[in-house]
Amino acid sequence: MWTDAQRQRLALEHAVLQSEGFTQFSVYRNSSDDTYYANGTTNSSSGRQYRLWIRIPSGYPYARPPMYLTEPFPILAADGSRISGLGISHQMHTLTPSESGYIQICHWRDNRWHSDILLYKVFLKGLLWIEAYEQHLVTRRPLAEFVRTMSEAA
Amino acid sequence: MSTSDSQQQTMIREAMKAIAERRPGRTKLVYDKTKRTIVAVAENAQVPRALNITADDADMFAIVTLSTQWLRNEWDRMIRDGILAIRLSAWDQGDAYSQCDLGAQPAPSIVDGAVMFDGSRIPSISPNVRVVLSKESAGDIAAPSTFVAPDGAVYRAQAWRSIDGREELAEVHLADVQPDLAMRRAGLLESKVLKECSVLCIGLGTGGAHAAIELAKCGLGHFFLVDPDRLSVGNVVRHPGGISQVGRLKVNVVRDLILEKNPDAKVSIYSVAATAENEAAIGELIDQVDIVLCGTDNRPSKLLINRLSIEANVVAVYGGAFRRAYGGQILRVRPRRSPCHQCFISAMPEQANDVEISSESAADAIAYSDRPEAVEPGLSLDVLPIANMFTKIALLELLKDRESSLNILQRDFDAPWYLWLNRPEPGTPYATLPPLSESSDEMTINRWYGVYFDRDVGCSACGDFLSVTAAAYGLDATSLKPPPTAVVRG
């Protein structure tokens, strides 16, 4: 059950996404089960299309919202293997994948998350991950060479 | 008892007191080889075939310690039955016996004892230790072996212990526990005030456990302890709990250590983690206490405690060491009157992120499967200054609105955040600190620094996040529309 404060916060999140030029993303309410999520389809700088999906946990904003890359599916590494098979990977900057096999992008770890962080910053990290992923595909170098980890970047 | 026996007993008592107090007396004790017994003689007397008894010899007498309060409470039964059964911790091969009820951690060896009046019949099954009370018409009521009964009668206590079928004299100390403990704090700390205070200690690692025990030493009356972990062998080099406690829940270990320092303390324990799943339970505990001490090692728990403490309007103090305890920090949060933990994260993200990785769970929280994080605790030596400050800030906060001579320190500790450095750690902003001995006004190691910073008016925990954030993005918080409803496909 969502509190008024949570619903207001999600309304703010949606409005900030629109006002900050992240109009490809939206917060949505699923009326059938009164859950929330945020998602959208975005293009990388090279023009490839990706879909990012954020589950809004019931403890939001105090609980960290996990962000998944749902399209294209499956996401493959440069060697053709599934990135989701790596699990919590420093090399590829991923956390535990969803049950459906979508990779979870490591934006903030639980130990770094706090409730002042807005969803547009989470999406921004998703966009950076996508750019780093494309660099990985070109160079075959680990994605971690293009984005720092949370423990390195305080 | 004949007159001469009575005189002899008095002389023995005086001689023993003189020996115990390491002062010259009018009488001395000797072992009369002819009589094969100990006798008291005048100090200058020459006794043939006698062995002088020295202070070192006298130290061989065991000491039996009983609670005066207990004896007072049981006095009616003592008068009625003429005997009270007791259980005694036997320490160091019978060198000392202490009443089990005195503390929470009795000795591995427990013996039966009895308190009885002089002349009472010895029970058929003789106890290992007999404490005998002899009525005295007058005497030194301050002596540790003297007991003043509720009816005003004065008794002198002596004990005999059974060793290999023979009885040996032992010294009795009747301890008035709470007054004796309070006396050591008199004039410095208001024990009566603190007895009514309550603290919730969440996280009983080295710092949290040390702080809880220090507060017990101060005479704090009510403790609520929260920690899900068990004491491990690796903890022992830092934690107040010892190797014989390994495997026990930390809440149990710390409860017993608290009761060893303050036997009258009320201690409630909760072996749960401060996580969102236990939010309601933690919130209920916070509602019951005067102050919260947070010694957890992870951000989610700190932010949960921060939010719940603000909601309950209860002051919380956060203490922790930096990595490998090169330094540490204390944050005191007075809800909506000083910066909260969320404000601190926004104002000083580097310091907020710099935490000691002192447990497997803390390491796992930041590890990746292809890049594990090692547990890297600091030295106990480096954690304890931080734990002491943790205690002191909590103590001052508890005394703040109460009568206390310690309140003279309020002016010295009015900053919300305190920084301590144990060493000029490479790779930190403190790597180039001048040597302690060469600096008078520059920042150095081994000094506390109070740092002032403002509350964040737009803080998501203690401020008006919605309005301030909306305004920052050119939005009106009063006219925000709900997010769109999802369109269910086909």
Side-chain angles (χ1 to χ4, degrees), chain B residues 87-101:
Chain B
R87 292 171 71 240
L88 296 162
S89 284
W91 299 100
D92 310 319
Q93 291 85 45
D95 180 58
Y97 298 88
S98 51
Q99 196 173 354
C100 285
D101 303 345

Side-chain angles (χ1 to χ4, degrees), chain B residues 305-314 333 335-336 340-341 461-462:
Chain B
I305 293 159
N306 182 57
R307 182 162 54 83
L308 295 175
S309 302
I310 291 168
E311 283 173 13
N313 196 28
V314 172
V333 178
R336 296 193 172 87
C340 77
H341 204 285
C462 74

